Amino acid sequence: MPKKFIRRFLPSHEQIKSQKALKLFGALLHDPNLWHLNRRSAKGAFGIGLFFAFWPVPFQMFLSAGMAIPLRVNLPLSVATVWITNPLTMPPIFYAAYLVGSTVLGTEMSAFQFELSWSWVVESLNTIGPAFLLGCFICSIVAGLIGYFGLDWVWCWSVRQAWKTRRTGENTSKTRDC
């Protein structure tokens, strides 16, 4: 069942509540719906986490938490899903976003050499920035929708499989007893 699988990877309530940046949410963090894991809260949290994972900002987790709280979806899952974009996966994911943006805008892709400097960032916003940001926006919407509906489908499928297994198990146990 997805619930058991997902629960293995989620941080605990205490780990989330101890984050200094989340203290600004105060008593809102005491809502039990933020910690309960069911189909509705999981698919919403997964969609929100994937949506913000494609935003090229350093505070994606806080944006995800800020959206999960008013929508009352699972907060740990929402925050954890953002980590799909991590330091190892960011370069290929953001390059793919740039490809999407260039394709949609119909612009020719510019060759660029990455530099870790503020001047490079400012210059890049003028050259590759529009295609990159549009690609990030498109990818975040698509990933969020795929995550939302995909997890909903997987959850329903696994429940159907569990019921089928349970029915089959009941039938075989009755024939053994006879």
Side-chain angles (χ1 to χ4, degrees):
M1 190 141 171
K3 188 175 192 175
K4 292 176 186 175
F5 179 76
I6 291 170
R7 207 172 286 255
R8 281 191 278 169
F9 298 103
L10 292 182
S12 69
H13 301 249
E14 291 76 29
Q15 287 174 323
I16 297 287
K17 287 180 182 177
S18 68
Q19 293 290 319
K20 290 179 184 177
L22 294 179
K23 299 280 186 196
L24 68 107
F25 294 114
L28 294 173
L29 291 177
H30 300 294
D31 182 0
N33 289 319
L34 297 177
W35 311 102
H36 187 68
L37 189 61
N38 59 28
R39 183 172 143 210
R40 182 201 162 279
S41 69
K43 70 181 182 180
F46 206 65
I48 289 169
L50 286 176
F51 176 77
F52 285 111
F54 286 86
W55 285 30
V57 294
F59 46 88
Q60 300 164 319
M61 290 188 317
F62 305 117
L63 292 172
S64 182
M67 186 63 75
I69 290 170
L71 293 178
R72 300 176 73 195
V73 297
N74 189 278
L75 182 62
L77 182 57
S78 176
V79 170
T81 307
V82 168
W83 278 96
I84 287 174
T85 51
N86 57 57
L88 293 175
T89 61
M90 258 187 225
I93 287 174
F94 285 159
Y95 182 72
Y98 174 59
L99 287 173
V100 168
S102 293
T103 303
V104 169
L105 287 177
T107 59
E108 188 175 316
M109 291 187 50
S110 314
F112 60 91
Q113 186 69 23
F114 178 76
E115 294 175 27
L116 193 56
S117 69
W118 185 250
S119 63
W120 181 84
V121 171
V122 172
E123 181 185 318
S124 296
L125 285 176
N126 294 329
T127 56
I128 65 173
F132 173 64
L133 294 175
L134 178 64
C136 286
F137 179 70
I138 291 169
C139 289
S140 69
I141 290 173
V142 169
L145 289 172
I146 288 172
Y148 181 86
F149 291 112
L151 187 62
D152 188 41
W153 182 85
V154 167
W155 196 289
C156 288
W157 178 80
S158 69
V159 168
R160 276 190 232 112
Q161 291 300 110
W163 276 101
K164 187 186 290 184
T165 303
R166 187 179 298 164
R167 248 191 328 264
T168 306
E170 288 174 3
N171 292 340
T172 57
S173 66
K174 286 180 183 177
T175 55
R176 289 181 195 156
D177 292 338
C178 294

